[in-house]
Amino acid sequence: MRKADMDVYRAGTREWRRRVTAVLVALVAVAVALAGAGSGIAPPARAATAAGPGGPSTPPYTKWGPPLTVRTINGRKTYIDANGVPHVLGSRGDTADADQALTFMNRRLAKDGLAYDPRTRTGSEYLFQDETNRLEEKASVGDGVAGTTSDMIKVTWSDGRLISVESVDSTATVRTGADPADLDSISKTITNKLPGGRKSQSGNVVFTATTEDQAKAVADRFRGNPNVRVIHPGSGYDSGELNTEAKGLRSAAGSVFVGPGDCPEGQSQSGFRRSGGPARARYAGFAARGAVGCGESPAPRAGGLAKGLSEPERAPGGIDFSQLELRYLADSGPHAGGLRYAFQAPSATSRHGSALTGLAHAAQASDSFFTWLELEPSTFWVNLNPNEPDRIVDSRLGRTDAGRVLLQADLTLKKTTGKLIHPDSALGADFWRGLSGDCMSFRTWIVPAPATVYTKGDELYILKSPLNVQMEAQYLKQHGSSGAVSCPKQARSVQDHNEALFRRLILPKVVKAVNTAPEYADLRRVYLSRVAAEWYRKLSLRKSTMYAGLIDKGDVSGLTTRENWTPIDTFHAYVRSYTKGEFKVTHRTRKGNTLYTRTYIYGGVDFSRVPFASVSDAQLKASSPTLTRDVGQSLRAPTTDRAEGQVWLGGGVPVAAPGNAASGAPDSGASAAPNAGAAVPRWLVAVAVLAALLVLRLAVHRRRTGRR
């Protein structure tokens, strides 16, 4: 090669290297930029931007704290709504009609069984708002108005979780008539206060009429508007409760069975580190983790559960939410349709148990399911024994609602048995007369009976989930301790006689109570989640599932009970009852010169094993011919099985790419659930495209160099 040609070749090579370096730098820059946008890493929190002079920020608005929380700010109790807007509580209204309206509406809540109950921490209440010393002005924010200048707020709780905070402004009139001019003036006043009106002052308005006829005429003008309520306290006329919690119910229902997020340490859903707990959000948190990162919340997938809870008209007839139970679970995997579930509740002539109660039961089932996945089955037992205060419950299980339910069910079991064997009852008297010997110790354990299920691929239908109550001899025999006896100094024949008597007279009634009595409803609900989790564990061994990574990890930090309770509390309650004789029945009888003393003591609850009994396709078709169809339809809307008198309420946690809609076609207001890795990240696609271009450029350059 001549020197001139060599110089040209070297110059071309340097130019080629410079271009390659530039392309590589661009490649890295684009990859880094897109990684932050599409990998699930939360972007920095946005700065507050004013909606107007002195107005509140546009969402996410976290200046005052996480949405849907209660805080003390400047020494005043403050409710933070779903948009992050603070509402400061006041002591009274600023007008007589506001005082009258709040009293009337709270009384109506109590009459309808919807008022906030401190015991269950569920229900709604109207509270005065201090609009004169507000923290923010009234400008628009989120989906409506800030509502900081309204007379009151309506707050709604479900099992200790705040699910909605809505502004309600009170208005009245000096007009006494109901002619068109009066109605036009009143309607204009109400409309101007609502979102989109001239004042945009409040999300909801309650109007206090001067006469019953006027109230009926105004109510007719706003018929079908859930944000306007018309009352006339003198006659008791009421157009109906403001359905302000509907949106909160939909959002909360949409987060059922939502798994843990991937938020970096120090960030939670709201952008705040949760005080007293981990940064990771709750599994079934009511501010569900978003598909687009830790700092945003998705709207729920509005399936049958969400619609049944928030839209009563969607469910034909009524629903007994007090008996809501998980009966279906399916998981198509993180790269397919995601997780699906369906609850079942009896149909009723009216809505027994409020929707808030149903939501609490659904959340309990969800939390319990994740508890049974996280912890090893060997820890799934509790034991109330007055001689073993240090062996009550596994330390991790005892921090969860599932552990609390098991321990309280064990205490209830002892009370149930104590009532049945009480010597003052006819049954108890028969029992005591039939006993022999001088020692009776009948420990009883609640254990699973075989669950009847139908499985098809990645779907589980729980047809029956009975619980059994075993006596100590049978329980110990199943656990390899057949030689153990409760009364070692007494003849085995006497012990066998007493056990047989207990099995015949008492045990059947105990078993029936555990499987049907209202006081064991939480136990049955938690056990259904245990059945679902056991099946899910086995499913995860043979295929990829959305939550396989949680199995036996032992992390229940996001599942700790919201009750002000510890396991030792239940133990102390047991000891108090035991020592006071509530269910320790001691009889002393004299035969000749011998005094016989008889005492009854107890066992526990053990869910460490779950036996299954599967049915075939033919058996399912014969017993429940419409089951699969009803469950499938319930994923979209409440579905009634009229033959069985049951309503199915389903939903799902679909897989979706960040920022894109979930698979399927959810109703309005629905959006993607947390991303579980179904789609290829955008940054990876970009890197691949740029790398391909670089390889192509290199090939062209080499071909040209070869020609030279």
Side-chain angles (χ1 to χ4, degrees), residues 325 327 364 372 380-382 402 405-410 412-413 444-452 462-471 474-475 478 506-532 604-612:
E325 294 181 337
R327 290 289 176 175
Q364 182 185 68
W372 302 133
F380 299 161
W381 57 267
V382 299
V405 168
L406 261 62
L407 267 178
Q408 292 182 342
D410 187 19
T412 303
L413 175 72
T444 51
W445 288 78
I446 301 176
V447 296
T452 303
I462 306 174
L463 306 180
K464 297 179 181 178
S465 56
L467 290 166
N468 195 14
V469 181
Q470 292 183 346
M471 297 192 65
Q474 183 182 3
Y475 176 80
Q478 289 185 353
I506 308 299
L507 197 59
K509 297 185 181 299
V510 176
V511 173
K512 181 180 179 180
V514 168
N515 284 283
T516 62
E519 58 266 31
Y520 293 97
D522 282 348
L523 179 70
R524 296 191 293 269
R525 193 172 296 110
V526 165
Y527 175 58
L528 278 163
S529 294
R530 173 72 180 98
V531 173
V605 182
D606 188 345
F607 282 177
S608 59
R609 305 176 187 180
V610 179
F612 286 95

Side-chain angles (χ1 to χ4, degrees), residues 57-378:
S57 307
T58 56
Y61 184 55
T62 54
K63 175 181 178 181
W64 300 103
L68 295 178
T69 54
V70 185
R71 303 185 62 200
T72 299
I73 302 176
N74 299 331
R76 298 180 298 172
K77 189 174 183 179
T78 306
Y79 282 79
I80 313 296
D81 68 20
N83 287 316
V85 176
H87 300 268
V88 180
L89 290 196
S91 58
R92 57 188 177 86
D94 58 359
T95 62
D97 61 271
D99 291 337
Q100 189 179 36
L102 182 136
T103 300
F104 179 86
M105 293 189 296
N106 276 335
R107 285 177 178 172
R108 181 55 59 91
L109 284 172
K111 181 179 179 181
D112 295 340
L114 301 174
Y116 177 74
D117 183 350
R119 182 180 57 84
T120 61
R121 297 168 305 141
T122 296
S124 300
E125 62 180 328
Y126 291 90
L127 303 168
F128 285 122
Q129 180 173 211
D130 185 352
E131 55 181 296
T132 60
N133 293 304
R134 54 188 178 272
L135 296 172
E136 293 290 345
E137 295 302 321
K138 67 175 184 179
S140 298
V141 63
D143 296 329
V145 298
T148 52
T149 60
S150 64
D151 292 297
M152 63 191 78
I153 57 175
K154 181 185 179 185
V155 298
T156 301
W157 299 82
S158 175
D159 194 25
R161 294 166 171 171
L162 184 61
I163 68 167
S164 68
V165 178
E166 295 290 335
S167 59
V168 182
D169 199 63
S170 175
T171 187
T173 181
V174 295
R175 297 173 179 266
T176 59
D179 58 41
D182 291 329
L183 297 180
D184 287 344
S185 175
I186 294 169
S187 299
K188 184 178 180 180
T189 299
I190 294 174
T191 302
N192 280 337
K193 291 177 177 290
L194 293 170
R198 182 177 59 83
K199 298 179 69 175
S200 289
Q201 182 180 359
S202 177
N204 307 272
V205 173
V206 55
F207 171 70
T208 303
T210 54
T211 67
E212 183 177 4
D213 288 341
Q214 184 186 73
K216 292 178 179 179
V218 174
D220 192 60
R221 285 275 183 111
F222 290 93
R223 189 176 304 279
N225 188 332
N227 304 113
V228 176
R229 182 174 183 176
V230 181
I231 62 175
H232 180 246
S235 65
Y237 177 83
D238 186 357
S239 64
E241 182 62 42
L242 291 168
N243 192 23
T244 60
E245 65 273 9
K247 184 177 178 182
L249 281 164
R250 287 195 300 271
S251 178
S255 66
V256 170
F257 285 102
V258 171
D262 297 317
C263 295
E265 182 69 16
Q267 294 184 0
S268 70
Q269 179 59 35
S270 64
F272 283 74
R273 186 178 181 89
R274 293 173 181 264
S275 60
R280 180 166 119 178
R282 290 182 56 81
Y283 292 108
F286 282 77
R289 280 152 296 284
V292 293
C294 295
E296 302 183 30
S297 301
R301 181 177 182 178
L305 178 65
K307 292 174 183 175
L309 292 172
S310 62
E311 305 171 36
E313 66 278 4
R314 292 270 192 166
I319 304 174
D320 186 354
F321 284 119
S322 66
Q323 298 187 54
L324 190 74
E325 294 181 337
L326 176 67
R327 290 289 176 175
Y328 170 82
L329 194 71
D331 191 333
S332 299
H335 304 292
L339 183 137
R340 304 178 301 283
Y341 57 84
F343 291 87
Q344 189 184 64
S347 56
T349 55
S350 62
R351 293 167 71 86
H352 292 274
S354 72
L356 298 172
T357 300
L359 175 61
H361 292 340
Q364 182 185 68
S366 174
D367 280 5
S368 298
F369 172 76
F370 288 115
T371 298
W372 302 133
L373 286 187
E374 286 278 5
L375 300 180
E376 296 179 0
S378 61

Side-chain angles (χ1 to χ4, degrees), residues 15-32:
E15 176 64 17
W16 172 76
R17 288 175 178 171
R18 185 185 66 79
R19 291 180 179 178
V20 170
T21 301
V23 171
L24 286 173
V25 171
L27 178 65
V28 172
V30 171
V32 170

